[in-house]
Amino acid sequence: MMSEGFLMEVCVDSVESAINAERGGAGRIELCSSLLEGGITPSIGLLQVVKENVQIPVYVMIRPRGGDFLYTDREVEVMRRDVELMKIHRADGLVLGALTEDGRVDAELCMELLAVCRPLPVTFHRAFDMVHDPSVALETLVSLGFERILTSGCDSSALEGLPLIKRLVEQAKGRIIIMPGGGITERNLQRILEGSGAQEFHCSARSGKDSAMKFRNSSVNMGASLSAPEYSLKVADVAKVRTLNAIAKNTL
């Protein structure tokens, strides 16, 4: 834990965002690809270039696809290989999660993946927000040896889930870190920190940035119709990160 007693983690999916997060005072980066999909496993190339450009710890997302957290044996094999590769390429920690079909933490699979992750610290990601019983899930994650849980309090955002986040912090009693995340902005951070008792928080602190393309073909979309507009990018914003950092400093 940093001496200030709080830690801001910024999720990023580009080198520029990682550099901006560090410049703005973030204490840790969660590295993924495709934040639009809620974040999936980043490429090794992205991890290498990020590690060459920032000093703060980089925790790497291990999530083979968007969607649910019920994985097939082949997907698990992909996750294992990705963990091994991220370790070789100097990840400082890992972020993963898996559930059973009835909405419990898949303890057996998590144990298997945690064994591959060792000795790196591991965060259980927002798969937690899809569990049937959060307080049982928390105990399972403590006994498995996860370092922290990223959660919106099983609601649409950390602000909506604040009452549950507070209960989880109380239940955890310092045995595992509860890190609120999901829709955290300058407008609600103070309320979330004061209302939860959490010491760490997770945000993307992004703003839109227009594409540098001069020639544009507006009739083509690279992804599904719901995907991001092709000619606008979202990047972590140094000023936003700084503001969030200052709010956290004043609150805690």
Side-chain angles (χ1 to χ4, degrees):
M1 195 53 95
M2 288 156 66
S3 54
E4 291 102 317
F6 76 90
L7 192 140
M8 166 168 50
E9 175 180 278
V10 179
C11 54
V12 307
D13 58 7
S14 68
V15 182
E16 186 184 356
S17 287
I19 292 169
N20 288 351
E22 182 175 62
R23 277 197 188 137
R28 184 195 310 124
I29 281 163
E30 179 197 78
L31 185 66
C32 44
S33 276
S34 193
L35 279 173
L36 273 169
E37 260 193 294
I40 55 175
T41 309
S43 72
I44 298 290
L46 180 57
L47 174 59
Q48 288 180 320
V49 182
V50 165
K51 285 292 293 181
E52 286 160 13
N53 282 279
V54 303
Q55 268 68 60
I56 57 177
V58 178
Y59 277 41
V60 178
M61 174 68 75
I62 303 293
R63 185 182 176 216
R65 55 164 174 79
D68 67 30
F69 303 101
L70 183 64
Y71 297 115
T72 64
D73 291 349
R74 284 177 176 148
E75 287 175 325
V76 171
E77 191 49 47
V78 170
M79 292 167 87
R80 291 180 63 108
R81 301 285 177 95
D82 279 335
V83 168
E84 286 163 0
L85 286 164
M86 298 306 170
K87 282 171 75 178
I88 291 167
H89 293 284
R90 310 198 344 267
D92 297 290
L94 298 153
V95 182
L96 56 88
L99 304 180
T100 60
E101 60 184 16
D102 57 357
R104 284 183 244 269
V105 170
D106 190 334
E108 197 181 340
L109 172 47
C110 285
M111 200 181 294
E112 184 189 324
L113 289 171
L114 283 167
V116 187
C117 292
R118 274 200 284 272
L120 294 184
V122 186
T123 298
F124 192 91
H125 59 42
R126 288 189 59 200
F128 185 85
D129 293 325
M130 304 301 190
V131 299
H132 174 63
D133 186 333
S135 98
V136 170
L138 184 147
E139 294 304 328
T140 304
L141 296 174
V142 167
S143 65
L144 284 167
F146 280 89
E147 182 183 60
R148 75 176 53 68
I149 301 168
L150 170 62
T151 179
S152 63
C154 304
D155 217 318
S156 55
S157 71
L159 191 59
E160 307 287 322
L162 194 51
L164 177 61
I165 295 171
K166 183 183 199 304
R167 290 204 301 278
L168 293 168
V169 170
E170 287 163 1
Q171 184 187 340
K173 292 191 177 70
R175 295 173 298 158
I176 192 168
I177 297 160
I178 304 297
M179 176 170 64
I184 293 183
T185 65
E186 307 90 298
R187 288 185 299 287
N188 60 30
L189 177 60
Q190 186 175 353
R191 256 171 83 191
I192 289 164
L193 293 177
E194 285 176 348
S196 66
Q199 300 283 296
E200 299 194 3
F201 66 98
H202 171 100
C203 58
S204 67
R206 294 190 300 166
S207 25
K209 185 180 153 184
D210 194 43
S211 161
M213 285 297 293
K214 289 190 171 67
F215 172 79
R216 301 186 176 198
N217 179 349
S218 57
S219 57
V220 179
N221 239 318
M222 290 301 146
S225 51
L226 285 170
S227 72
E230 240 58 65
Y231 294 105
S232 88
L233 310 161
K234 284 201 151 219
V235 179
D237 181 327
V238 179
K240 279 191 180 179
V241 178
R242 272 201 191 116
T243 302
L244 287 159
N245 208 33
I247 294 167
K249 227 170 226 170
N250 293 335
T251 305
L252 296 169

